Amino acid sequence: MAPTVPLSVLPLVALVALVAPALGVAPDCDRPAHLWCRSPETAVACQVESRCPDLPHPAAAPVQLSLFYESLCPACRQFLVQALFPTWLQLPTGMLNITLVPYGNAQERNVSGKWDFDCQHGPEECLGNMIEACLMHEAKDFSTYFPLIFCLESGTSVTKNLEACLQVYAPDLDRSRIAACVQGDTGMALMHQNAQLTEALDPPHQYVPWIVINGKHTDELQAQAENSLLGLICHLYQGEKPKACGGSKTLKTLPGCRR
Ligand SMILES: *[C@@H]1O[C@H](CO)[C@@H](O)[C@H](O)[C@H]1NC(C)=O
Ligand SMILES: *[C@@H]1O[C@H](CO)[C@@H](O)[C@H](O)[C@H]1NC(C)=O
């Protein structure tokens, strides 16, 4: 005779019935069913994540930061070199997601079907923007191209140190592809994309660096990001705070480059 099922076990029975078809394809699930919802790892291994309402939160979403800048603006260089790069280095991966948009106060014109760019600090700035856009495109991986861009922006010349920076930070990147991008249609298309991203800002940018955090720009966020980026990111991050959030310094900032 089959034993009667005590009422208290019913939800568990229901759970087993729900996931039974998945059992055959969960080879890493080596825990008894009553432990499946106890940790995120086990829930994943046993393929029951969506059925465990009280699961401790997996890693929180990263804080999203977009930097609209131009390669030769002193305040942009200062923010990137003295605030953004060190903050990124200090924080664990997955806490801060950075998007770099080199273009800033540039203007684009359609000259008989080709894009032509005018940059606030002249042709050298356009070249710097283009080099950085192409490095992002060719390197793809943020942790490869950000140190390269940091290297260019922190040196005496943004445009003349590419080879030296590549040797130190990304010796394997293909020089000929980068050069082809900078001088060709790919670079033009990337710069046009940056122009469109910049023109789409809401509110429109009034100066650069223009910082957008989790999709928002306000004077207050901008001031906080410039004065203590680490403190701001730590404050906004919803997950468990890492050690680096313990103490944070403030920075005396240069005035931005107005349009
Ligand atoms: C990081 O930002 C990019 C946009 O620049 C977005 O496509 C990507 O999904 C974001 N990644 C995470 C993990 O939030
Ligand atoms: C750029 O100008 C050419 C003519 O000079 C025109 O055919 C083309 O549609 C224009 N492109 C855009 C995106 O405005």
Side-chain angles (χ1 to χ4, degrees):
M1 194 179 102
T4 50
V5 179
L7 256 171
S8 62
V9 202
L10 270 178
L12 189 59
V13 170
L15 180 68
V16 172
L18 274 170
V19 298
L23 284 177
V25 290
D28 298 333
C29 181
D30 55 1
R31 296 298 200 78
H34 70 280
L35 295 180
W36 286 355
C37 285
R38 288 291 274 281
S39 82
E41 295 74 28
T42 312
V44 169
C46 298
Q47 302 178 0
V48 294
E49 281 165 285
S50 62
R51 302 195 177 92
C52 302
D54 298 326
L55 216 50
H57 252 286
V63 176
Q64 311 286 337
L65 186 153
S66 298
L67 177 65
F68 292 82
Y69 72 107
E70 55 197 27
S71 64
L72 297 191
C73 157
C76 298
R77 297 177 70 175
Q78 184 191 38
F79 180 73
L80 193 147
V81 169
Q82 294 183 33
L84 192 56
F85 189 72
T87 298
W88 173 72
L89 279 182
Q90 284 176 75
L91 294 175
T93 39
M95 192 169 158
L96 175 59
N97 187 21
I98 300 170
T99 304
L100 300 174
V101 185
Y103 184 76
N105 298 329
Q107 313 239 324
E108 70 173 354
R109 281 177 308 156
N110 177 357
V111 179
S112 33
K114 287 225 166 202
W115 294 114
D116 189 52
F117 300 95
D118 267 327
C119 296
Q120 183 170 31
H121 300 89
E124 192 192 358
E125 179 162 80
C126 286
L127 177 59
N129 292 345
M130 192 70 97
I131 291 172
E132 293 178 10
C134 286
L135 287 175
M136 291 186 233
H137 181 72
E138 291 301 327
K140 297 193 170 59
D141 177 37
F142 186 82
S143 54
T144 304
Y145 66 69
F146 195 31
L148 279 171
I149 291 173
F150 162 80
C151 179
L152 295 176
E153 292 290 341
S154 60
T156 46
S157 161
V158 172
T159 55
K160 297 195 176 79
N161 295 331
L162 179 59
E163 183 51 37
C165 289
L166 283 168
Q167 273 172 27
V168 175
Y169 291 103
D172 297 335
L173 267 193
D174 187 333
R175 271 52 162 186
S176 62
R177 287 186 60 101
I178 296 166
C181 172
V182 169
Q183 287 149 24
D185 293 344
T186 306
M188 285 291 175
L190 293 171
M191 204 48 59
H192 175 57
Q193 220 171 54
N194 287 351
Q196 289 187 310
L197 287 171
T198 305
E199 293 307 322
L201 281 169
D202 181 19
H205 76 288
Q206 291 156 19
Y207 50 81
V208 285
W210 188 259
I211 301 160
V212 176
I213 300 215
N214 289 336
K216 269 198 323 196
H217 173 95
T218 63
D219 290 346
E220 197 188 350
L221 277 173
Q222 175 87 22
Q224 289 173 332
E226 288 186 350
N227 294 329
S228 174
L229 184 63
L230 183 64
L232 176 63
I233 303 303
C234 288
H235 171 73
L236 293 175
Y237 184 62
Q238 303 284 304
E240 202 178 316
K241 313 282 183 205
K243 268 219 184 72
C245 288
S248 52
K249 314 184 294 243
T250 58
L251 186 70
K252 177 121 180 48
T253 52
L254 299 170
C257 293
R258 304 215 140 256
R259 311 178 71 161

